[in-house]
Amino acid sequence: MEPLPAPAPVHRRRRRATAAGVLVAVLLSGCGLRLETPPPAEPVPDSVEIVRRTAVSDALYVAEQAESAVQALDGRRARLTTELELVATQSREQAAELGGVYDSGLEPENSDGTPVASPSEAPPVVPQDVVDALVDASGRSRTAAGTTTDGPLARLLASVGAAQAVSAGRVVDYTDGQVPSPVAPVVPEPDPVAADAGAEDDDAEGDDGASDDGGASALSLLAAPSEEDPTPSPSVEEGVSSTVPDSDEPAVVPRGLTAADLRRLIESEDSAGYALRVRAARASGDTRERLAERAAAHTARGQAWALVAGTSRTDQDPRQVAYTVPREGKSAAVVRSVEESLATDYASLVGTTAPDTRAVLVDLLVESAVTLDAWGAEPVTFPGLPEQQDD
């Protein structure tokens, strides 16, 4: 009689059951049923995104304030109403160009069920509230334009800040309030190290005249700072930036300016001064004084930029004895022409120079925009950005 086969060991059956359980778990995890996976969260914004969102929020707040002020006026004071409506329209266009309100696409978190208190009725918005909102927004936009690491965003913020400064001045004309007094931008003195380097090169040349590099030794020190030295030291003790009028921070030479950039600034400022001097000689009364004052400012800036470039009174100095000046048209049209050109130049350079050194360029853009308004130019949404004017 043959013996019966031995039964299968119990531990084999247990191993099969364990393997089946593991297989089921793997299949379930592949189907997305992992209960321990947290829900998607809002991404943490970086510094550039925070700057952008702040500017959008400011622009939308200005728009809401202006629209509320229009409602409070209820059809009264037609010219003021028109000005406020323009502020609201421009502010919403600026917010849109800045990228608008961020939307991650995620559903908002569920409320915890706590009842929301009814907001108390706010007092009606008056035009001075709009002025205050514009002044605050302009200050933040201009400061951010001088410090953000994103060049194109800096250019846009500088333009928006300039437009907000202009709008504040236009609205306050209809109120009993006031806006902060503008501070004239100061072109920084050249870096002493750059000046010394230029002087040494001139001595090395002997009697052969100026070098062919057009002050390149000085200009080389204006290149964008390296990663090891991102923040250059201030070059002068005086000359406070008007972008932050309450600070004692000295103006510095913008880093990243090229020889071509400086040459254009020298020529543009000097030719603007010449054109306005010619116009002043033909004018009289208050117009003559205003033209002469503006001409002197531009001529002085041309000289200041020539000193920064290290080309003043050298063979590479691009300034001319005389320039072509339009004989036709009114003086205001000539002022607007030169200021529009300068605003475009300064806005472009804001976008190409290094952060924390470009504040004077922002200030010069703002001043050109305010000057354009003072000489009868129509307000634009983006001063200094010609590509936006046709939109």
Side-chain angles (χ1 to χ4, degrees):
M1 183 174 180
E2 296 181 0
L4 295 173
V10 176
H11 64 272
R12 290 184 181 176
R13 289 195 296 269
R14 288 178 179 173
R15 280 202 293 267
R16 294 192 188 100
T18 301
V22 171
L23 178 61
V24 170
V26 171
L27 292 174
L28 289 176
S29 65
C31 295
L33 298 180
R34 296 179 61 185
L35 299 180
E36 71 276 10
T37 302
E42 292 277 356
V44 178
D46 60 14
S47 59
V48 173
E49 176 62 12
I50 291 174
V51 166
R52 188 199 68 81
R53 292 187 191 182
T54 300
V56 170
S57 178
D58 281 343
L60 292 177
Y61 179 70
V62 169
E64 292 166 0
Q65 290 289 94
E67 290 162 354
S68 296
V70 169
Q71 291 180 353
L73 288 172
D74 194 22
R76 302 184 304 273
R77 304 184 66 180
R79 293 177 63 185
L80 173 57
T81 297
T82 300
E83 197 67 51
L84 290 170
E85 290 173 342
L86 177 61
V87 169
T89 299
Q90 289 185 337
S91 296
R92 293 200 177 277
E93 290 175 355
Q94 289 160 356
E97 188 63 27
L98 285 162
V101 176
Y102 172 76
D103 181 9
S104 67
L106 299 176
E107 292 293 334
E109 295 183 1
N110 294 331
S111 172
D112 58 4
T114 304
V116 179
S118 300
S120 58
E121 184 175 351
V125 176
V126 298
Q128 185 61 40
D129 295 329
V130 181
V131 173
D132 294 341
L134 283 164
V135 170
D136 291 344
S138 177
R140 277 189 291 272
S141 294
R142 292 154 60 186
T143 300
T147 58
T148 182
T149 57
D150 187 308
L153 178 60
R155 178 173 178 259
L156 179 57
L157 286 170
S159 177
V160 170
Q164 290 165 335
V166 170
S167 295
R170 291 176 65 88
V171 175
V172 81
D173 287 342
Y174 296 94
T175 73
D176 296 329
Q178 58 184 3
V179 295
S181 300
V183 179
V186 177
V187 176
E189 296 178 5
D191 191 314
V193 176
D196 292 343
E200 292 175 1
D201 286 350
D202 289 342
D203 293 340
E205 288 159 12
D207 298 329
D208 293 335
S211 63
D212 293 335
D213 61 5
S217 58
L219 289 171
S220 65
L221 297 175
L222 300 178
S226 64
E227 294 181 359
E228 290 77 11
D229 185 20
T231 306
S233 301
S235 59
V236 291
E237 296 297 328
E238 299 179 351
V240 177
S241 167
S242 65
T243 294
V244 193
D246 295 331
S247 77
D248 295 326
E249 181 180 350
V252 296
V253 176
R255 300 292 296 271
L257 290 174
T258 66
D261 293 334
L262 285 165
R263 188 178 303 110
R264 179 169 177 80
L265 287 180
I266 297 166
E267 289 177 326
S268 297
E269 289 283 10
D270 193 62
S271 62
Y274 179 85
L276 299 188
R277 279 200 308 276
V278 171
R279 281 291 176 171
R282 300 174 183 172
S284 61
D286 181 63
T287 300
R288 182 190 182 101
E289 293 180 4
R290 292 175 66 198
L291 287 168
E293 181 180 0
R294 196 65 188 155
H298 285 305
T299 301
R301 285 174 189 164
Q303 169 64 8
W305 286 122
L307 290 173
V308 170
T311 59
S312 178
R313 296 179 174 83
T314 70
D315 291 343
Q316 287 74 39
D317 194 331
R319 287 175 290 180
Q320 303 175 26
V321 175
Y323 302 87
T324 301
V325 179
R327 293 182 174 273
E328 304 299 328
K330 296 182 178 180
S331 296
V334 176
V335 175
R336 293 195 295 266
S337 176
V338 299
E339 295 294 345
E340 285 175 359
S341 178
L342 284 167
T344 299
D345 289 343
Y346 285 121
S348 297
L349 293 175
V350 167
T352 58
T353 47
D356 297 320
T357 71
R358 62 170 84 101
V360 66
L361 302 173
V362 177
D363 295 341
L364 288 163
L365 166 60
V366 174
E367 190 197 54
S368 286
V370 172
T371 302
L372 281 164
D373 180 69
W375 285 87
E378 290 295 323
V380 296
T381 308
F382 300 102
L385 308 188
E387 74 276 9
Q388 297 284 355
Q389 308 311 324
D390 296 333
D391 293 350

